[in-house]
Amino acid sequence: MAEFSVNFAIETLASLLVQESTLLRSVKKEVESIKRELEFIKSFLRDADTRAAAEEEGESNGGVVSTWVKQVREEAYHIEDVIDEYILNEAKHHEHDGKGLTGFLRKMRCFINELKVRHGISSEIKHIKSSLVDIQRRAEHYNLRHIDQGDVLPHDSRVGSFFIPGAEVVGIEATRDQLIGLLVSGTSKRSVVAIVGEGGLGKTTLAGNIYENDTVKKHFDCQAWITVGKECTKMDILRKTIQEFDGVTGSTHGEMDKMEEKDLLATLVRQLKDKCYMVAFDDVWKTDFWGHIEYALIENDKSSRIILTTRNKSIVDLIPFINVHRLQPLPSDKAFELFCRKAFGPQGCCPPELEKLSRDILGKCGGLPLAIVAIGGLLSNKNKVAFEWKKLLDDLGSQLGSDFHLKDCNKVLLEGYYGLPHHLKSCLLYFGFFPESYSISCARLVRLWIAEGFVPNSKRSTCEQVAEEFLIDLINRSLVQVVETDFIGRPRYCRVHDLMHEIIIRKTEHLSFSHVVNREHSNLSSKIRRISIQGSTDSVLENIKDSKIRSVSFFNVDRMSNSFMTTIVNFKLMKVLDFEDSPIEYLPKGVGNLFHLHYLSLKNTKVNVLPKSIGKLLNLETLNLKCSLVTELPVEINNLKKLRYLLIYRWDNGGNYERVKIPVGFGSLLDLQKLGFVEANFEVLKELGKLRHLRRLGIRVTNGNEKYLCACIANMEKLESLTIYSTSREEILDIESMNSPPRGLQRLYLRGNMKKLPDWIFKLEYIVRIGLNLLGLTNDPIIVLQALPKLLELRLWDTRHNEQLLFKEGWFQKLKRLQLIDFEGLELMIIDKGAMPNLEDLRIGPFPRLKEIPIGIEHLRNLRILKFRLMLKEIYHMIKDEKWKKVTQHISEICVTFKMEGKLFYETTKYISSLSPVDFEQYIEEVERSNKPSHP
């Protein structure tokens, strides 16, 4: 983690040397000298971080290396602070430059102040250099060495897992039998089975049970088990494999240490050429693993098998002809069974007074067998009283780091963190900024990482693309869990496991990376750099008024005082200010003093006016006003030349976008990538034509301006998502004139009135999502849209009020999600066999005249979600049809939504079907009564 801080400081110094050509020559030399010192110190950091990690986990004594790493990290932070303060002061001095006598006097005053600033930075830099010399000297004293590998936490906590008897294993029996079947049957060609999952999920236990299974032992001529780990080199793997096979093949190779790679390969080929062999590689970490063993394990048409376990899905993605099994957490019933066995003995009987606490503790375990076993074992030695168990539940984070019973669990979870390259460590630690079990929007997370400086610039990709690669890497390493994906399988929301969250919180506080403030924990270090305020703002800022706070976010905060709002904008080095979902009604004028601010979110707040001082935020990249009450942007917004995301839309009660007035001159925001939702009159369109980097655009077009809009859009070569609304659904939307739409357009939404779909829609090679809310169409759009070869999602509002809707065989071959809305005249929906074969999610309604479930729905074998919107009465009658169960039994989630007191609720059809006619009538009356308008 210190390596990231030092890297960041080095990059900051490099940027300063390039941009600040006016630095005094002597200071510039000192800055270059500091940069060299940091680069030299950096060469020792990986060794130091590794040894510090061992100290923290109790593997060695003293803590001297941990202290050294902490000093390096603090000095790197100090460098960042000095440079940011220097840049801030420089910006202030040039802010009021002008002409004439007044301008001259201002420039003279600025010049004098500038000399003072430079004198100040000169003193600071000399102090930093002196500190770095001392730090370097101590590195040599501690015999730190340069290493190229990532951090290693030396231990093997998997050994015990291999020897767990099959009779004691819970919840993996079906998976074990399935994988054994793959190993002992099938092709005569060599094949690979991979078990992938997060640490503690039981991969080694499962693989060990398979390896020791009698059926497996009888099937193969010889077997080998190799624990790989992080440290193993290619030569180590080859030697270990030969040694494992020595006993079973009858050969001996005592001088392997002297053998070259080609000799080791030849030895393995000789050992295995006539054998039906099985090799298990446990705990694989390196992505080049397959290259190490592909040619070492011979393809001999003897039905040989390779099985491997790994946390990193990227490893198995590189292996051809592989069966990948993604190991899942234990379901709640199996988790409870395992927990009770460990906590209460073989009979596993939980006292009633401890059942709720037991299940709360299991919730923290998240189905991880290792955690369940460890915590169950710890509780088995405690008194069976609620007080003791509640104490463990409340203090689980600190217990993970200190209790002997939880030691292996802690180490297994930490392995994932220590195995990360330095740039991903900061990204993972950032999850500690959010509350436990919090589902984080991936788009929000990516923008926050960029704002914090975690994402380097790249010539080949945008910052957003690099950040998304970082997130996918963390997901593939089984450190981040995907909560929800979009229609093409990309993660939309994510989170970390609750126990990993506990470890991250402990790490962030130890590293002074960030601190969570709530009613129970409000003590803050003056050196803290990021604070996550959760639940209350009382007394938060008293101890940190002089801190160099970089980021502040709010979660579940009930109120914010005026004094708090005034104080929060006094942290002049702030980069991130995230008020999302907070109870604020205004933004202080002082926000304009936050020169370094990159990210400002007022999403879902009651703020209705932006102060003009916002135009001073020259480094702002993200301004999120989504679902706020802001209806007009100040003209000063045009000063924000680095702005990349401007989100300014909200919805009215009818589900329509409400317009926000945008100032003339916004065409100067040339870096904008995302803009929505704005109203396009002629003046706006002139400015819009200058924004060539837009990737996402939402716009409401006034009648008569469509041709200008089409001309603008045709020049937006990078546009990926386009939403065009007319001012009302009845107003003509004439966008046929766009002969050359952006080639890379993937998502398109249209609302208005048109006779036929524009021909250019069918030129879109990459279109995967379409939403149409159109009146006036003379032809059924489904007939023409079904031919789009890559369409994955379709949202369609009724346009023609037909009584029958037919999906023919061969239509929508790749469609995964279909939403049909407000088909008021529809009485019958038919799905032919072979239509929409890949459909997973179907949402329909309201269809007030539809009396029976869509005919042929049983043909949609991949359908997993079926939702009926505002169709409570209709669904009740469908459920009572005798064929309902037969045609829907393959669908895992079926529900119906309805409104009560203005809010949308849903019930499962299983519950609806359980109601008698009388009970259902009462239920309907209650729903309808709640929706009646109240009268004074």
Side-chain angles (χ1 to χ4, degrees):
M1 184 57 212
E3 187 178 358
F4 171 79
S5 304
V6 170
N7 264 354
F8 194 78
I10 290 171
E11 290 168 6
T12 305
L13 288 168
S15 176
L16 183 71
L17 288 168
V18 171
Q19 296 176 16
E20 298 295 324
S21 58
T22 57
L23 274 172
L24 293 175
R25 186 170 300 177
S26 59
V27 176
K28 193 166 186 175
K29 287 181 179 179
E30 295 291 344
V31 170
E32 289 172 340
S33 175
I34 286 175
K35 182 170 172 285
R36 287 195 299 271
E37 293 283 352
L38 283 175
E39 286 169 343
F40 186 74
I41 288 172
K42 178 185 165 185
S43 66
F44 297 107
L45 267 176
R46 287 184 178 175
D47 182 36
D49 272 342
T50 300
R51 288 163 60 176
E55 288 177 354
E56 290 167 29
E57 300 307 316
E59 300 283 343
S60 63
N61 298 319
V64 292
V65 179
S66 295
T67 302
W68 182 86
V69 171
K70 182 180 179 183
Q71 290 169 348
V72 172
R73 184 169 58 247
E74 289 179 351
E75 203 57 51
Y77 286 159
H78 184 201
I79 291 167
E80 183 189 351
D81 292 342
V82 168
I83 292 170
D84 282 353
E85 285 174 347
Y86 167 76
I87 292 172
L88 176 62
N89 284 319
E90 285 284 296
K92 281 182 180 178
H93 295 154
H94 294 289
E95 183 180 341
H96 301 294
D97 288 356
K99 296 180 180 180
L101 178 61
T102 304
F104 174 75
L105 292 175
R106 283 177 177 167
K107 286 180 181 178
M108 287 301 296
R109 189 162 58 247
C110 287
F111 177 72
I112 293 169
N113 289 333
E114 202 168 303
L115 290 178
K116 291 179 182 178
V117 169
R118 290 181 178 179
H119 176 73
I121 194 174
S122 179
S123 300
E124 289 279 8
I125 284 174
K126 287 177 181 176
H127 174 73
I128 290 169
K129 186 177 180 184
S130 174
S131 298
L132 290 177
V133 169
D134 288 342
I135 288 171
Q136 182 182 322
R137 177 177 51 77
R138 285 193 292 274
E140 294 167 355
H141 176 74
Y142 298 143
N143 295 318
L144 296 176
R145 58 192 176 85
H146 171 71
I147 58 174
D148 292 324
Q149 297 93 338
D151 299 347
V152 174
L153 193 60
H155 75 283
D156 184 6
S157 54
R158 291 164 299 280
V159 174
S161 302
F162 181 84
F163 295 102
I164 296 176
E168 293 185 17
V169 172
V170 174
I172 63 170
E173 300 86 347
T175 302
R176 178 191 60 203
D177 295 343
Q178 175 192 349
L179 296 183
I180 288 173
L182 288 173
L183 292 170
V184 301
S185 61
T187 178
S188 63
K189 298 292 183 182
R190 179 192 68 187
S191 64
V192 185
V193 173
I195 304 171
V196 182
E198 60 194 297
L201 207 49
K203 300 183 296 296
T204 300
T205 301
L206 174 59
N209 265 254
I210 292 170
Y211 187 86
E212 292 294 317
N213 182 269
D214 288 339
T215 301
V216 172
K217 285 179 174 288
K218 290 175 183 176
H219 181 79
F220 295 102
D221 298 332
C222 55
Q223 291 176 253
W225 178 281
I226 294 93
T227 300
V228 181
K230 298 176 190 173
E231 304 99 303
C232 254
T233 65
K234 182 176 183 178
M235 299 293 280
D236 291 334
I237 293 172
L238 295 177
R239 292 187 185 108
K240 281 185 178 184
T241 307
I242 292 171
Q243 287 171 343
E244 283 289 310
F245 279 127
D246 273 351
V248 293
T249 59
S251 57
T252 57
H253 303 275
E255 297 186 356
M256 278 191 299
D257 289 344
K258 299 178 182 178
M259 295 171 67
E260 295 181 2
E261 180 182 332
K262 61 181 179 61
D263 299 319
L264 293 172
L265 290 171
T267 300
L268 271 171
V269 169
R270 286 196 301 273
Q271 281 181 321
L272 303 176
K273 64 180 180 179
D274 297 323
K275 298 288 188 296
C276 173
Y277 63 83
M278 172 188 167
V279 189
F281 294 100
D282 183 41
D283 196 38
V284 178
W285 285 81
K286 296 180 180 178
T287 52
D288 55 2
F289 166 77
W290 182 245
H292 295 348
I293 67 154
E294 182 178 8
Y295 301 109
L297 300 175
I298 188 172
E299 168 58 90
N300 57 9
D301 288 321
K302 295 285 186 180
S303 300
S304 296
R305 301 290 185 259
I306 301 166
I307 185 170
L308 66 91
T309 72
T310 182
R311 303 183 188 199
N312 193 345
K313 183 176 176 294
S314 298
I315 291 170
V316 302
D317 287 341
L318 300 172
I319 304 175
F321 309 112
I322 185 171
N323 287 290
V324 180
H325 181 82
R326 188 93 196 196
L327 198 56
Q328 300 299 318
L330 288 180
S332 57
D333 58 334
K334 293 295 183 180
F336 192 65
E337 178 187 341
L338 179 60
F339 175 80
C340 289
R341 280 193 193 182
K342 294 301 176 182
F344 305 111
Q347 301 306 315
C349 185
C350 176
E353 66 272 15
L354 292 179
E355 183 166 344
K356 183 179 185 306
L357 275 170
S358 296
R359 294 194 182 277
D360 288 344
I361 291 168
L362 275 175
K364 291 269 192 179
C365 296
L368 285 186
L370 178 66
I372 295 168
V373 168
I375 294 174
L378 171 61
L379 288 170
S380 69
N381 295 320
K382 291 187 178 292
N383 295 325
K384 305 300 185 287
V385 292
F387 171 78
E388 291 274 358
W389 291 47
K390 180 70 164 61
K391 185 179 178 182
L392 172 74
L393 177 63
D394 294 340
D395 199 29
L396 190 56
S398 60
Q399 293 272 5
L400 271 173
S402 59
D403 192 275
F404 173 78
H405 292 86
L406 304 181
K407 186 177 180 181
D408 276 350
C409 180
N410 186 53
K411 285 183 176 180
V412 166
L413 293 173
L414 269 173
E415 274 185 317
Y417 168 79
Y418 286 122
L420 290 173
H422 69 85
H423 65 275
L424 288 182
K425 285 183 179 175
S426 298
C427 295
L428 181 64
L429 290 180
Y430 209 74
F431 282 87
F433 217 51
F434 300 89
E436 185 180 279
S437 302
Y438 190 89
S439 291
I440 308 161
S441 161
C442 296
R444 178 186 183 186
L445 185 65
V446 160
R447 291 185 206 123
L448 285 166
W449 283 350
I450 293 169
E452 292 279 3
F454 298 166
V455 181
N457 292 320
S458 169
K459 293 181 179 179
R460 62 177 181 85
S461 306
T462 65
C463 290
E464 291 76 15
Q465 289 168 335
V466 175
E468 287 168 6
E469 288 173 7
F470 285 4
L471 178 58
I472 295 300
D473 200 348
L474 289 172
I475 291 168
N476 283 340
R477 291 170 183 265
S478 302
L479 290 168
V480 172
Q481 300 173 338
V482 177
V483 176
E484 181 183 329
T485 60
D486 67 8
F487 61 99
I488 58 174
R490 293 180 308 189
R492 287 193 68 222
Y493 289 89
C494 63
R495 53 160 290 181
V496 290
H497 189 282
D498 285 354
L499 290 183
M500 179 57 75
H501 189 269
E502 296 276 7
I503 285 174
I504 287 172
I505 291 293
R506 208 167 71 241
K507 271 287 174 193
T508 56
E509 293 181 2
H510 172 75
L511 297 170
S512 297
F513 180 87
S514 65
H515 196 98
V516 173
V517 185
N518 51 36
R519 289 180 174 87
E520 289 75 34
H521 303 90
S522 58
N523 294 326
L524 291 175
S525 163
S526 60
K527 294 183 179 179
I528 209 73
R529 302 183 79 74
R530 300 174 183 88
I531 55 174
S532 174
I533 301 173
Q534 300 177 15
S536 174
T537 61
D538 295 341
S539 305
V540 167
L541 304 179
E542 289 179 4
N543 301 326
I544 56 168
K545 290 179 180 177
D546 298 323
S547 299
K548 312 296 185 184
I549 294 292
R550 291 307 205 277
S551 303
V552 182
S553 290
F554 303 87
F555 301 93
N556 304 315
V557 173
D558 49 7
R559 64 182 180 84
M560 290 191 196
S561 65
N562 290 334
S563 60
F564 180 87
M565 292 296 291
T566 302
T567 306
I568 199 71
V569 294
N570 286 333
F571 295 104
K572 299 297 191 295
L573 304 184
M574 189 103 69
K575 290 184 175 181
V576 169
L577 190 50
D578 192 349
F579 285 112
E580 183 168 328
D581 297 323
S582 297
I584 63 170
E585 297 181 355
Y586 74 100
L587 194 62
K589 293 179 181 178
V591 73
N593 297 324
L594 303 180
F595 176 76
H596 290 288
L597 199 66
H598 286 66
Y599 182 101
L600 175 61
S601 178
L602 302 174
K603 181 180 178 180
N604 202 25
T605 66
K606 294 182 180 179
V607 174
N608 58 9
V609 175
L610 294 181
K612 293 184 177 182
S613 65
I614 201 167
K616 295 160 65 177
L617 302 178
L618 301 184
N619 288 298
L620 196 65
E621 295 173 343
T622 294
L623 178 58
N624 191 346
L625 305 174
K626 183 178 177 181
C627 298
S628 71
L629 302 181
V630 175
T631 58
E632 182 174 356
L633 298 180
V635 68
E636 287 78 10
I637 208 82
N638 297 335
N639 296 333
L640 310 183
K641 309 300 185 190
K642 293 185 180 180
L643 204 60
R644 296 167 73 84
Y645 291 88
L646 182 55
L647 310 177
I648 50 177
Y649 55 90
R650 68 181 187 277
W651 295 274
D652 62 18
N653 293 332
N656 300 313
Y657 288 114
E658 289 192 354
R659 64 180 181 177
V660 175
K661 188 176 179 181
I662 193 165
V664 174
F666 77 92
S668 62
L669 306 179
L670 298 179
D671 282 348
L672 265 187
Q673 294 194 12
K674 187 171 182 178
L675 176 63
F677 208 89
V678 296
E679 183 158 327
N681 56 36
F682 181 71
E683 291 296 326
V684 168
L685 289 173
K686 283 201 304 185
E687 300 291 335
L688 191 64
K690 302 173 185 177
L691 304 181
R692 300 294 183 88
H693 290 92
L694 278 180
R695 294 178 180 270
R696 186 168 180 176
L697 173 64
I699 195 159
R700 189 199 301 263
V701 61
T702 55
N703 197 17
N705 286 308
E706 291 92 340
K707 289 185 179 180
Y708 299 107
L709 175 62
C710 290
C712 288
I713 293 171
N715 290 325
M716 296 176 182
E717 297 178 356
K718 298 180 180 179
L719 201 65
E720 296 173 355
S721 175
L722 174 62
T723 301
I724 306 177
Y725 271 30
S726 58
T727 51
S728 72
R729 198 176 181 221
E730 289 74 27
E731 188 170 328
I732 299 297
L733 184 62
D734 180 12
I735 52 173
E736 180 65 42
S737 61
M738 187 162 44
N739 294 322
S740 301
R743 187 171 178 271
L745 200 65
Q746 299 174 22
R747 299 177 289 278
L748 176 67
Y749 309 89
L750 302 175
R751 193 194 77 160
N753 189 316
M754 60 172 60
K755 289 185 177 181
K756 74 181 192 69
L757 293 178
D759 291 337
W760 53 261
I761 287 181
F762 307 102
K763 298 178 183 178
L764 300 174
E765 298 178 46
Y766 302 102
I767 197 76
V768 291
R769 178 194 277 179
I770 289 180
L772 300 178
N773 188 352
L774 301 171
L775 286 178
L777 290 177
T778 55
N779 295 317
D780 188 347
I782 290 179
I783 295 175
V784 289
L785 292 174
Q786 60 84 21
L788 290 172
K790 296 181 180 179
L791 195 64
L792 298 175
E793 180 176 9
L794 175 62
R795 297 181 190 176
L796 196 62
W797 280 255
D798 184 25
T799 60
R800 305 178 68 243
H801 307 299
N802 287 346
E803 295 179 357
Q804 180 175 307
L805 181 61
L806 172 64
F807 290 88
K808 294 183 179 181
E809 179 184 357
W811 284 12
F812 296 109
Q813 285 295 293
K814 292 193 175 181
L815 199 68
K816 290 188 174 183
R817 186 178 296 172
L818 174 63
Q819 189 169 356
L820 303 171
I821 307 159
D822 290 335
F823 279 60
E824 296 179 1
L826 190 69
E827 297 180 1
L828 191 63
M829 180 173 170
I830 304 171
I831 303 165
D832 285 347
K833 187 175 184 179
M836 303 183 288
N838 290 298
L839 197 69
E840 299 172 357
D841 186 338
L842 175 60
R843 306 181 187 212
I844 60 178
F847 292 1
R849 296 187 181 183
L850 189 68
K851 301 305 179 188
E852 61 178 307
I853 191 168
I855 297 171
I857 199 165
E858 67 272 17
H859 301 320
L860 305 178
R861 302 312 301 173
N862 287 306
L863 193 63
R864 297 292 173 263
I865 298 172
L866 176 59
K867 291 188 178 181
F868 297 91
R869 181 173 177 265
L870 306 178
M871 294 177 63
L872 204 53
K873 287 183 179 179
E874 294 86 351
I875 291 308
Y876 185 73
H877 294 298
M878 288 184 197
I879 291 171
K880 296 304 179 183
D881 191 317
E882 60 182 13
K883 64 183 178 183
W884 168 272
K885 188 173 182 180
K886 180 179 179 182
V887 299
T888 63
Q889 60 185 352
H890 64 292
I891 308 172
S892 55
E893 180 184 344
I894 311 177
C895 66
V896 56
T897 64
F898 57 93
K899 282 187 177 180
M900 285 185 69
E901 298 177 351
K903 295 182 179 179
L904 201 64
F905 293 85
Y906 78 92
E907 287 287 4
T908 63
T909 51
K910 184 177 180 180
Y911 172 76
I912 298 290
S913 65
S914 70
L915 298 176
S916 68
V918 173
D919 290 339
F920 181 73
E921 285 301 322
Q922 291 176 348
Y923 192 71
I924 285 290
E925 286 178 13
E926 181 184 349
V927 172
E928 291 178 344
R929 187 167 54 250
S930 72
N931 290 325
K932 285 182 180 179
S934 57
H935 298 285

